[in-house]
Amino acid sequence: MAHPIAPAVTPAITPLSVKAIAPWAVLFGILLLTLLYFVGAEQGATSLISGEAVHEWVHDGRHLLGFPCH
Ligand SMILES: [Zn+2]
């Protein structure tokens, strides 16, 4: 008994608009800048969180990205 092969259905591809992407780009930009702050500048006088926990947690990333440390 032969089974007919169903034709492949390709979903319609709609192009993304800048309007649709803009809020996500802003959100991820803010998240990346926050992460960059914690990796690059969260120590000493610019520290928002007291103690060394954040600095120690991101210490390897700090050296990997070339920020001055110690
Ligand atoms: Zn270091």
Tab-separated table of all heavy atoms in Angstrom:
chain	number	residue	atom	x	y	z
A	1	MET	N	0.845	-1.169	0.000
A	1	MET	CA	0.000	0.000	0.000
A	1	MET	C	0.894	1.237	0.000
A	1	MET	O	1.735	1.420	0.861
A	1	MET	CB	-0.891	-0.012	1.239
A	1	MET	CG	-1.885	1.084	1.252
A	1	MET	SD	-3.269	0.690	2.321
A	1	MET	CE	-2.812	1.521	3.794
A	2	ALA	N	0.709	2.063	-0.965
A	2	ALA	CA	1.531	3.266	-1.087
A	2	ALA	C	0.890	4.422	-0.338
A	2	ALA	O	-0.331	4.591	-0.347
A	2	ALA	CB	1.683	3.620	-2.556
A	3	HIS	N	1.761	5.170	0.350
A	3	HIS	CA	1.288	6.363	1.044
A	3	HIS	C	1.768	7.580	0.278
A	3	HIS	O	2.955	7.714	-0.005
A	3	HIS	CB	1.852	6.420	2.472
A	3	HIS	CG	1.384	5.300	3.333
A	3	HIS	ND1	0.148	5.297	3.915
A	3	HIS	CD2	1.961	4.140	3.698
A	3	HIS	CE1	-0.006	4.180	4.601
A	3	HIS	NE2	1.089	3.458	4.487
A	4	PRO	N	0.866	8.458	-0.051
A	4	PRO	CA	1.306	9.669	-0.753
A	4	PRO	C	2.138	10.549	0.187
A	4	PRO	O	1.865	10.635	1.384
A	4	PRO	CB	0.002	10.349	-1.149
A	4	PRO	CG	-1.008	9.820	-0.206
A	4	PRO	CD	-0.566	8.431	0.158
A	5	ILE	N	3.159	11.127	-0.360
A	5	ILE	CA	4.005	12.025	0.421
A	5	ILE	C	3.386	13.416	0.399
A	5	ILE	O	3.117	13.970	-0.661
A	5	ILE	CB	5.432	12.069	-0.153
A	5	ILE	CG1	6.052	10.672	-0.090
A	5	ILE	CG2	6.285	13.069	0.613
A	5	ILE	CD1	7.398	10.571	-0.767
A	6	ALA	N	3.155	13.923	1.590
A	6	ALA	CA	2.561	15.255	1.695
A	6	ALA	C	3.586	16.294	1.285
A	6	ALA	O	4.772	16.169	1.610
A	6	ALA	CB	2.108	15.514	3.123
A	7	PRO	N	3.168	17.292	0.549
A	7	PRO	CA	4.115	18.343	0.169
A	7	PRO	C	4.590	19.094	1.414
A	7	PRO	O	3.835	19.301	2.367
A	7	PRO	CB	3.304	19.251	-0.756
A	7	PRO	CG	1.877	18.963	-0.427
A	7	PRO	CD	1.821	17.543	0.057
A	8	ALA	N	5.855	19.454	1.411
A	8	ALA	CA	6.421	20.181	2.548
A	8	ALA	C	5.780	21.554	2.650
A	8	ALA	O	5.638	22.256	1.652
A	8	ALA	CB	7.921	20.323	2.377
A	9	VAL	N	5.360	21.871	3.841
A	9	VAL	CA	4.754	23.178	4.084
A	9	VAL	C	5.814	24.066	4.711
A	9	VAL	O	6.324	23.775	5.781
A	9	VAL	CB	3.536	23.066	5.026
A	9	VAL	CG1	2.961	24.436	5.318
A	9	VAL	CG2	2.493	22.151	4.417
A	10	THR	N	6.148	25.099	4.017
A	10	THR	CA	7.138	26.033	4.573
A	10	THR	C	6.405	27.211	5.196
A	10	THR	O	5.505	27.780	4.577
A	10	THR	CB	8.093	26.552	3.480
A	10	THR	OG1	7.304	27.140	2.452
A	10	THR	CG2	8.920	25.425	2.903
A	11	PRO	N	6.772	27.544	6.410
A	11	PRO	CA	6.099	28.680	7.053
A	11	PRO	C	6.495	29.982	6.366
A	11	PRO	O	7.596	30.120	5.850
A	11	PRO	CB	6.627	28.634	8.483
A	11	PRO	CG	7.899	27.877	8.404
A	11	PRO	CD	7.779	26.938	7.249
A	12	ALA	N	5.561	30.887	6.360
A	12	ALA	CA	5.834	32.187	5.765
A	12	ALA	C	6.834	32.936	6.646
A	12	ALA	O	6.700	32.973	7.857
A	12	ALA	CB	4.546	32.983	5.649
A	13	ILE	N	7.847	33.453	6.019
A	13	ILE	CA	8.868	34.201	6.752
A	13	ILE	C	8.559	35.681	6.612
A	13	ILE	O	8.533	36.219	5.506
A	13	ILE	CB	10.273	33.890	6.215
A	13	ILE	CG1	10.568	32.405	6.397
A	13	ILE	CG2	11.305	34.743	6.915
A	13	ILE	CD1	11.855	31.967	5.755
A	14	THR	N	8.331	36.290	7.754
A	14	THR	CA	8.073	37.727	7.731
A	14	THR	C	9.319	38.449	8.216
A	14	THR	O	9.910	38.056	9.228
A	14	THR	CB	6.885	38.097	8.628
A	14	THR	OG1	7.157	37.638	9.946
A	14	THR	CG2	5.597	37.462	8.134
A	15	PRO	N	9.728	39.462	7.538
A	15	PRO	CA	10.926	40.193	7.970
A	15	PRO	C	10.657	40.940	9.284
A	15	PRO	O	9.539	41.407	9.527
A	15	PRO	CB	11.196	41.158	6.821
A	15	PRO	CG	9.888	41.296	6.122
A	15	PRO	CD	9.152	40.013	6.318
A	16	LEU	N	11.684	41.007	10.115
A	16	LEU	CA	11.557	41.746	11.376
A	16	LEU	C	11.712	43.229	11.096
A	16	LEU	O	12.533	43.639	10.284
A	16	LEU	CB	12.625	41.295	12.362
A	16	LEU	CG	12.476	39.884	12.898
A	16	LEU	CD1	13.671	39.534	13.777
A	16	LEU	CD2	11.196	39.758	13.691
A	17	SER	N	10.936	44.015	11.787
A	17	SER	CA	11.070	45.461	11.621
A	17	SER	C	11.878	46.030	12.778
A	17	SER	O	11.982	45.423	13.843
A	17	SER	CB	9.688	46.105	11.584
A	17	SER	OG	9.064	45.974	12.846
A	18	VAL	N	12.440	47.176	12.547
A	18	VAL	CA	13.218	47.846	13.591
A	18	VAL	C	12.332	48.174	14.780
A	18	VAL	O	12.750	48.061	15.938
A	18	VAL	CB	13.878	49.128	13.030
A	18	VAL	CG1	14.559	49.921	14.121
A	18	VAL	CG2	14.878	48.773	11.939
A	19	LYS	N	11.075	48.515	14.521
A	19	LYS	CA	10.133	48.828	15.588
A	19	LYS	C	9.920	47.637	16.513
A	19	LYS	O	9.755	47.794	17.717
A	19	LYS	CB	8.793	49.234	14.983
A	19	LYS	CG	8.338	50.600	15.336
A	19	LYS	CD	6.971	50.850	14.697
A	19	LYS	CE	6.565	52.274	14.927
A	19	LYS	NZ	5.295	52.589	14.314
A	20	ALA	N	9.909	46.434	15.940
A	20	ALA	CA	9.699	45.238	16.755
A	20	ALA	C	10.936	44.876	17.549
A	20	ALA	O	10.833	44.321	18.645
A	20	ALA	CB	9.298	44.074	15.859
A	21	ILE	N	12.099	45.180	17.026
A	21	ILE	CA	13.349	44.787	17.681
A	21	ILE	C	13.804	45.836	18.694
A	21	ILE	O	14.477	45.494	19.670
A	21	ILE	CB	14.446	44.562	16.615
A	21	ILE	CG1	14.074	43.371	15.748
A	21	ILE	CG2	15.793	44.325	17.247
A	21	ILE	CD1	15.020	43.145	14.611
A	22	ALA	N	13.447	47.101	18.504
A	22	ALA	CA	13.977	48.193	19.315
A	22	ALA	C	13.822	47.992	20.824
A	22	ALA	O	14.797	48.170	21.555
A	22	ALA	CB	13.361	49.514	18.880
A	23	PRO	N	12.645	47.617	21.343
A	23	PRO	CA	12.551	47.448	22.802
A	23	PRO	C	13.469	46.348	23.326
A	23	PRO	O	14.051	46.498	24.408
A	23	PRO	CB	11.093	47.077	23.036
A	23	PRO	CG	10.376	47.477	21.811
A	23	PRO	CD	11.357	47.443	20.700
A	24	TRP	N	13.623	45.261	22.574
A	24	TRP	CA	14.519	44.182	23.007
A	24	TRP	C	15.967	44.628	22.940
A	24	TRP	O	16.773	44.254	23.798
A	24	TRP	CB	14.292	42.937	22.146
A	24	TRP	CG	12.939	42.358	22.357
A	24	TRP	CD1	11.858	42.462	21.530
A	24	TRP	CD2	12.489	41.616	23.503
A	24	TRP	NE1	10.787	41.820	22.086
A	24	TRP	CE2	11.147	41.296	23.275
A	24	TRP	CE3	13.110	41.210	24.671
A	24	TRP	CZ2	10.397	40.575	24.210
A	24	TRP	CZ3	12.365	40.493	25.594
A	24	TRP	CH2	11.035	40.183	25.361
A	25	ALA	N	16.299	45.411	21.927
A	25	ALA	CA	17.672	45.910	21.815
A	25	ALA	C	18.004	46.825	22.988
A	25	ALA	O	19.096	46.753	23.557
A	25	ALA	CB	17.859	46.643	20.492
A	26	VAL	N	17.044	47.670	23.382
A	26	VAL	CA	17.261	48.561	24.528
A	26	VAL	C	17.410	47.738	25.800
A	26	VAL	O	18.310	47.981	26.614
A	26	VAL	CB	16.108	49.579	24.646
A	26	VAL	CG1	16.176	50.327	25.963
A	26	VAL	CG2	16.131	50.548	23.474
A	27	LEU	N	16.543	46.747	25.996
A	27	LEU	CA	16.610	45.904	27.192
A	27	LEU	C	17.953	45.193	27.287
A	27	LEU	O	18.625	45.248	28.330
A	27	LEU	CB	15.473	44.883	27.182
A	27	LEU	CG	15.542	43.845	28.302
A	27	LEU	CD1	15.275	44.508	29.652
A	27	LEU	CD2	14.564	42.722	28.044
A	28	PHE	N	18.367	44.543	26.220
A	28	PHE	CA	19.629	43.807	26.263
A	28	PHE	C	20.820	44.762	26.343
A	28	PHE	O	21.839	44.416	26.933
A	28	PHE	CB	19.742	42.850	25.086
A	28	PHE	CG	18.904	41.625	25.272
A	28	PHE	CD1	17.739	41.452	24.557
A	28	PHE	CD2	19.266	40.658	26.203
A	28	PHE	CE1	16.950	40.322	24.745
A	28	PHE	CE2	18.480	39.528	26.404
A	28	PHE	CZ	17.318	39.363	25.674
A	29	GLY	N	20.698	45.948	25.774
A	29	GLY	CA	21.756	46.952	25.915
A	29	GLY	C	21.933	47.361	27.357
A	29	GLY	O	23.058	47.449	27.861
A	30	ILE	N	20.816	47.588	28.051
A	30	ILE	CA	20.881	47.955	29.472
A	30	ILE	C	21.466	46.804	30.294
A	30	ILE	O	22.315	47.020	31.165
A	30	ILE	CB	19.490	48.361	29.986
A	30	ILE	CG1	19.080	49.702	29.368
A	30	ILE	CG2	19.462	48.449	31.505
A	30	ILE	CD1	17.640	50.094	29.623
A	31	LEU	N	21.027	45.578	29.999
A	31	LEU	CA	21.564	44.422	30.732
A	31	LEU	C	23.066	44.259	30.497
A	31	LEU	O	23.824	43.979	31.430
A	31	LEU	CB	20.822	43.150	30.330
A	31	LEU	CG	19.385	43.038	30.822
A	31	LEU	CD1	18.736	41.782	30.247
A	31	LEU	CD2	19.320	43.024	32.331
A	32	LEU	N	23.497	44.445	29.259
A	32	LEU	CA	24.921	44.315	28.956
A	32	LEU	C	25.733	45.426	29.608
A	32	LEU	O	26.825	45.177	30.118
A	32	LEU	CB	25.144	44.298	27.449
A	32	LEU	CG	24.741	43.003	26.758
A	32	LEU	CD1	24.877	43.138	25.246
A	32	LEU	CD2	25.583	41.842	27.260
A	33	LEU	N	25.202	46.648	29.621
A	33	LEU	CA	25.921	47.740	30.272
A	33	LEU	C	26.005	47.510	31.776
A	33	LEU	O	27.017	47.817	32.410
A	33	LEU	CB	25.247	49.077	29.968
A	33	LEU	CG	25.468	49.594	28.550
A	33	LEU	CD1	24.661	50.874	28.331
A	33	LEU	CD2	26.939	49.851	28.284
A	34	THR	N	24.929	46.966	32.367
A	34	THR	CA	24.954	46.652	33.794
A	34	THR	C	26.003	45.580	34.076
A	34	THR	O	26.788	45.695	35.035
A	34	THR	CB	23.562	46.181	34.259
A	34	THR	OG1	22.617	47.195	33.944
A	34	THR	CG2	23.547	45.894	35.744
A	35	LEU	N	26.034	44.549	33.258
A	35	LEU	CA	27.036	43.496	33.422
A	35	LEU	C	28.444	44.066	33.248
A	35	LEU	O	29.351	43.746	34.019
A	35	LEU	CB	26.781	42.372	32.416
A	35	LEU	CG	27.751	41.207	32.473
A	35	LEU	CD1	27.628	40.475	33.804
A	35	LEU	CD2	27.487	40.251	31.326
A	36	LEU	N	28.614	44.923	32.254
A	36	LEU	CA	29.923	45.530	32.018
A	36	LEU	C	30.337	46.386	33.207
A	36	LEU	O	31.503	46.391	33.604
A	36	LEU	CB	29.880	46.373	30.742
A	36	LEU	CG	31.206	46.961	30.281
A	36	LEU	CD1	32.189	45.853	29.930
A	36	LEU	CD2	30.989	47.867	29.094
A	37	TYR	N	29.367	47.093	33.820
A	37	TYR	CA	29.689	47.873	35.008
A	37	TYR	C	30.179	46.965	36.131
A	37	TYR	O	31.204	47.224	36.762
A	37	TYR	CB	28.469	48.680	35.503
A	37	TYR	CG	28.708	49.225	36.874
A	37	TYR	CD1	29.507	50.351	37.045
A	37	TYR	CD2	28.213	48.582	38.005
A	37	TYR	CE1	29.791	50.825	38.304
A	37	TYR	CE2	28.489	49.051	39.268
A	37	TYR	CZ	29.276	50.174	39.416
A	37	TYR	OH	29.569	50.631	40.663
A	38	PHE	N	29.440	45.873	36.377
A	38	PHE	CA	29.820	45.006	37.493
A	38	PHE	C	31.162	44.328	37.243
A	38	PHE	O	31.933	44.121	38.167
A	38	PHE	CB	28.727	43.965	37.775
A	38	PHE	CG	27.621	44.517	38.618
A	38	PHE	CD1	26.371	44.717	38.079
A	38	PHE	CD2	27.839	44.860	39.943
A	38	PHE	CE1	25.345	45.242	38.844
A	38	PHE	CE2	26.821	45.384	40.726
A	38	PHE	CZ	25.575	45.577	40.170
A	39	VAL	N	31.448	43.994	35.992
A	39	VAL	CA	32.739	43.354	35.703
A	39	VAL	C	33.855	44.402	35.721
A	39	VAL	O	34.929	44.143	36.246
A	39	VAL	CB	32.697	42.637	34.337
A	39	VAL	CG1	34.073	42.152	33.941
A	39	VAL	CG2	31.730	41.478	34.385
A	40	GLY	N	33.599	45.570	35.181
A	40	GLY	CA	34.682	46.517	34.972
A	40	GLY	C	34.893	47.565	36.019
A	40	GLY	O	36.008	48.060	36.180
A	41	ALA	N	33.863	47.954	36.757
A	41	ALA	CA	34.021	49.117	37.628
A	41	ALA	C	33.506	48.924	39.035
A	41	ALA	O	33.573	49.857	39.834
A	41	ALA	CB	33.312	50.319	36.997
A	42	GLU	N	32.985	47.777	39.362
A	42	GLU	CA	32.405	47.566	40.694
A	42	GLU	C	33.507	47.265	41.700
A	42	GLU	O	33.767	46.127	42.043
A	42	GLU	CB	31.393	46.412	40.644
A	42	GLU	CG	30.815	45.985	41.969
A	42	GLU	CD	29.952	47.028	42.655
A	42	GLU	OE1	29.533	47.984	42.007
A	42	GLU	OE2	29.722	46.867	43.850
A	43	GLN	N	34.179	48.294	42.115
A	43	GLN	CA	35.183	48.149	43.177
A	43	GLN	C	35.582	49.530	43.649
A	43	GLN	O	35.398	50.513	42.943
A	43	GLN	CB	36.400	47.376	42.713
A	43	GLN	CG	37.323	48.146	41.805
A	43	GLN	CD	38.616	47.379	41.553
A	43	GLN	OE1	38.720	46.204	41.822
A	43	GLN	NE2	39.603	48.068	41.037
A	44	GLY	N	36.077	49.597	44.838
A	44	GLY	CA	36.612	50.848	45.371
A	44	GLY	C	35.556	51.929	45.510
A	44	GLY	O	34.447	51.688	45.967
A	45	ALA	N	35.913	53.147	45.050
A	45	ALA	CA	35.046	54.305	45.234
A	45	ALA	C	33.753	54.204	44.427
A	45	ALA	O	32.745	54.804	44.781
A	45	ALA	CB	35.791	55.578	44.853
A	46	THR	N	33.768	53.471	43.326
A	46	THR	CA	32.569	53.371	42.491
A	46	THR	C	31.699	52.189	42.872
A	46	THR	O	30.724	51.890	42.188
A	46	THR	CB	32.951	53.236	41.011
A	46	THR	OG1	33.680	52.028	40.828
A	46	THR	CG2	33.770	54.422	40.547
A	47	SER	N	31.998	51.531	43.963
A	47	SER	CA	31.282	50.324	44.339
A	47	SER	C	29.876	50.639	44.821
A	47	SER	O	29.659	51.515	45.651
A	47	SER	CB	32.058	49.599	45.443
A	47	SER	OG	31.391	48.417	45.798
A	48	LEU	N	28.885	49.955	44.281
A	48	LEU	CA	27.501	50.111	44.723
A	48	LEU	C	27.163	49.123	45.827
A	48	LEU	O	26.304	49.382	46.664
A	48	LEU	CB	26.536	49.880	43.546
A	48	LEU	CG	26.592	50.884	42.407
A	48	LEU	CD1	25.633	50.465	41.299
A	48	LEU	CD2	26.261	52.280	42.902
A	49	ILE	N	27.826	47.977	45.821
A	49	ILE	CA	27.559	46.930	46.800
A	49	ILE	C	28.801	46.785	47.660
A	49	ILE	O	29.896	46.545	47.143
A	49	ILE	CB	27.217	45.596	46.099
A	49	ILE	CG1	25.985	45.773	45.223
A	49	ILE	CG2	27.022	44.488	47.117
A	49	ILE	CD1	25.678	44.609	44.313
A	50	SER	N	28.622	46.960	48.980
A	50	SER	CA	29.785	46.914	49.854
A	50	SER	C	30.335	45.492	49.924
A	50	SER	O	29.623	44.514	49.705
A	50	SER	CB	29.414	47.408	51.246
A	50	SER	OG	28.442	46.554	51.809
A	51	GLY	N	31.617	45.437	50.223
A	51	GLY	CA	32.265	44.134	50.327
A	51	GLY	C	32.950	43.755	49.029
A	51	GLY	O	32.928	44.495	48.046
A	52	GLU	N	33.582	42.619	49.019
A	52	GLU	CA	34.362	42.159	47.879
A	52	GLU	C	33.682	41.041	47.098
A	52	GLU	O	34.275	40.480	46.184
A	52	GLU	CB	35.729	41.661	48.369
A	52	GLU	CG	36.611	42.754	48.935
A	52	GLU	CD	37.169	43.668	47.855
A	52	GLU	OE1	37.524	43.144	46.785
A	52	GLU	OE2	37.205	44.887	48.080
A	53	ALA	N	32.454	40.693	47.461
A	53	ALA	CA	31.808	39.519	46.866
A	53	ALA	C	31.641	39.669	45.354
A	53	ALA	O	31.976	38.752	44.601
A	53	ALA	CB	30.461	39.267	47.527
A	54	VAL	N	31.118	40.807	44.896
A	54	VAL	CA	30.895	41.003	43.459
A	54	VAL	C	32.219	41.015	42.723
A	54	VAL	O	32.383	40.383	41.673
A	54	VAL	CB	30.117	42.309	43.212
A	54	VAL	CG1	30.018	42.596	41.724
A	54	VAL	CG2	28.737	42.216	43.817
A	55	HIS	N	33.200	41.703	43.287
A	55	HIS	CA	34.512	41.774	42.649
A	55	HIS	C	35.130	40.382	42.511
A	55	HIS	O	35.667	40.032	41.462
A	55	HIS	CB	35.440	42.689	43.442
A	55	HIS	CG	36.821	42.763	42.875
A	55	HIS	ND1	37.133	43.565	41.808
A	55	HIS	CD2	37.954	42.098	43.193
A	55	HIS	CE1	38.414	43.400	41.509
A	55	HIS	NE2	38.939	42.509	42.340
A	56	GLU	N	35.068	39.612	43.571
A	56	GLU	CA	35.638	38.265	43.517
A	56	GLU	C	34.871	37.367	42.551
A	56	GLU	O	35.460	36.530	41.880
A	56	GLU	CB	35.645	37.633	44.916
A	56	GLU	CG	36.570	38.317	45.890
A	56	GLU	CD	38.030	38.307	45.427
A	56	GLU	OE1	38.445	37.317	44.810
A	56	GLU	OE2	38.716	39.310	45.681
A	57	TRP	N	33.567	37.564	42.466
A	57	TRP	CA	32.746	36.719	41.596
A	57	TRP	C	33.050	36.956	40.131
A	57	TRP	O	33.021	36.042	39.319
A	57	TRP	CB	31.264	36.968	41.909
A	57	TRP	CG	30.372	35.935	41.353
A	57	TRP	CD1	30.348	34.612	41.674
A	57	TRP	CD2	29.370	36.121	40.357
A	57	TRP	NE1	29.390	33.972	40.935
A	57	TRP	CE2	28.774	34.876	40.128
A	57	TRP	CE3	28.914	37.225	39.652
A	57	TRP	CZ2	27.756	34.693	39.217
A	57	TRP	CZ3	27.903	37.043	38.744
A	57	TRP	CH2	27.329	35.797	38.542
A	58	VAL	N	33.345	38.204	39.748
A	58	VAL	CA	33.605	38.531	38.345
A	58	VAL	C	35.095	38.720	38.075
A	58	VAL	O	35.478	39.212	37.018
A	58	VAL	CB	32.837	39.802	37.918
A	58	VAL	CG1	31.345	39.571	38.011
A	58	VAL	CG2	33.256	41.000	38.714
A	59	HIS	N	35.940	38.293	39.011
A	59	HIS	CA	37.360	38.579	38.916
A	59	HIS	C	38.003	38.000	37.651
A	59	HIS	O	38.779	38.693	36.975
A	59	HIS	CB	38.061	38.034	40.167
A	59	HIS	CG	39.453	38.524	40.309
A	59	HIS	ND1	40.536	37.693	40.218
A	59	HIS	CD2	39.937	39.772	40.497
A	59	HIS	CE1	41.625	38.401	40.365
A	59	HIS	NE2	41.306	39.662	40.537
A	60	ASP	N	37.688	36.774	37.298
A	60	ASP	CA	38.290	36.166	36.109
A	60	ASP	C	37.835	36.881	34.839
A	60	ASP	O	38.631	37.094	33.927
A	60	ASP	CB	37.947	34.686	36.033
A	60	ASP	CG	38.650	33.873	37.105
A	60	ASP	OD1	39.633	34.401	37.676
A	60	ASP	OD2	38.209	32.751	37.386
A	61	GLY	N	36.563	37.248	34.789
A	61	GLY	CA	36.063	37.989	33.638
A	61	GLY	C	36.741	39.343	33.525
A	61	GLY	O	37.001	39.836	32.424
A	62	ARG	N	37.028	39.932	34.661
A	62	ARG	CA	37.697	41.219	34.698
A	62	ARG	C	39.085	41.114	34.042
A	62	ARG	O	39.448	41.937	33.211
A	62	ARG	CB	37.821	41.628	36.156
A	62	ARG	CG	38.328	42.992	36.394
A	62	ARG	CD	38.308	43.224	37.910
A	62	ARG	NE	38.670	44.585	38.165
A	62	ARG	CZ	37.804	45.564	38.166
A	62	ARG	NH1	36.546	45.329	37.964
A	62	ARG	NH2	38.191	46.796	38.378
A	63	HIS	N	39.829	40.090	34.398
A	63	HIS	CA	41.146	39.895	33.807
A	63	HIS	C	41.032	39.508	32.349
A	63	HIS	O	41.829	39.952	31.519
A	63	HIS	CB	41.923	38.817	34.576
A	63	HIS	CG	42.499	39.336	35.846
A	63	HIS	ND1	43.724	39.946	35.905
A	63	HIS	CD2	41.997	39.337	37.102
A	63	HIS	CE1	43.959	40.302	37.152
A	63	HIS	NE2	42.932	39.951	37.902
A	64	LEU	N	40.042	38.695	32.014
A	64	LEU	CA	39.850	38.255	30.631
A	64	LEU	C	39.585	39.440	29.708
A	64	LEU	O	40.066	39.488	28.581
A	64	LEU	CB	38.687	37.256	30.560
A	64	LEU	CG	38.376	36.689	29.192
A	64	LEU	CD1	39.488	35.750	28.755
A	64	LEU	CD2	37.060	35.928	29.240
A	65	LEU	N	38.810	40.412	30.184
A	65	LEU	CA	38.469	41.573	29.363
A	65	LEU	C	39.508	42.679	29.439
A	65	LEU	O	39.375	43.700	28.768
A	65	LEU	CB	37.099	42.114	29.784
A	65	LEU	CG	35.927	41.145	29.508
A	65	LEU	CD1	34.655	41.715	30.071
A	65	LEU	CD2	35.787	40.892	28.023
A	66	GLY	N	40.539	42.514	30.265
A	66	GLY	CA	41.634	43.474	30.302
A	66	GLY	C	41.403	44.680	31.169
A	66	GLY	O	42.084	45.695	31.006
A	67	PHE	N	40.462	44.619	32.096
A	67	PHE	CA	40.274	45.753	33.004
A	67	PHE	C	41.370	45.740	34.045
A	67	PHE	O	41.808	44.675	34.490
A	67	PHE	CB	38.909	45.654	33.715
A	67	PHE	CG	37.757	45.993	32.838
A	67	PHE	CD1	36.982	44.994	32.297
A	67	PHE	CD2	37.451	47.310	32.545
A	67	PHE	CE1	35.914	45.291	31.475
A	67	PHE	CE2	36.373	47.619	31.728
A	67	PHE	CZ	35.602	46.606	31.191
A	68	PRO	N	41.846	46.906	34.453
A	68	PRO	CA	42.857	46.946	35.502
A	68	PRO	C	42.291	46.433	36.819
A	68	PRO	O	41.139	46.709	37.147
A	68	PRO	CB	43.221	48.434	35.599
A	68	PRO	CG	42.074	49.143	35.016
A	68	PRO	CD	41.453	48.224	34.007
A	69	CYS	N	43.082	45.681	37.529
A	69	CYS	CA	42.552	45.055	38.733
A	69	CYS	C	43.517	45.229	39.895
A	69	CYS	O	43.273	45.996	40.788
A	69	CYS	CB	42.282	43.583	38.471
A	69	CYS	SG	41.444	42.769	39.797
A	70	HIS	N	44.598	44.512	39.881
A	70	HIS	CA	45.558	44.574	40.988
A	70	HIS	C	46.962	44.441	40.470
A	70	HIS	O	47.182	44.151	39.341
A	70	HIS	CB	45.261	43.500	42.037
A	70	HIS	CG	45.100	42.137	41.473
A	70	HIS	ND1	46.128	41.283	41.215
A	70	HIS	CD2	43.969	41.473	41.072
A	70	HIS	CE1	45.667	40.144	40.728
A	70	HIS	NE2	44.354	40.237	40.604
B	1	ZN	ZN	42.655	40.703	39.613
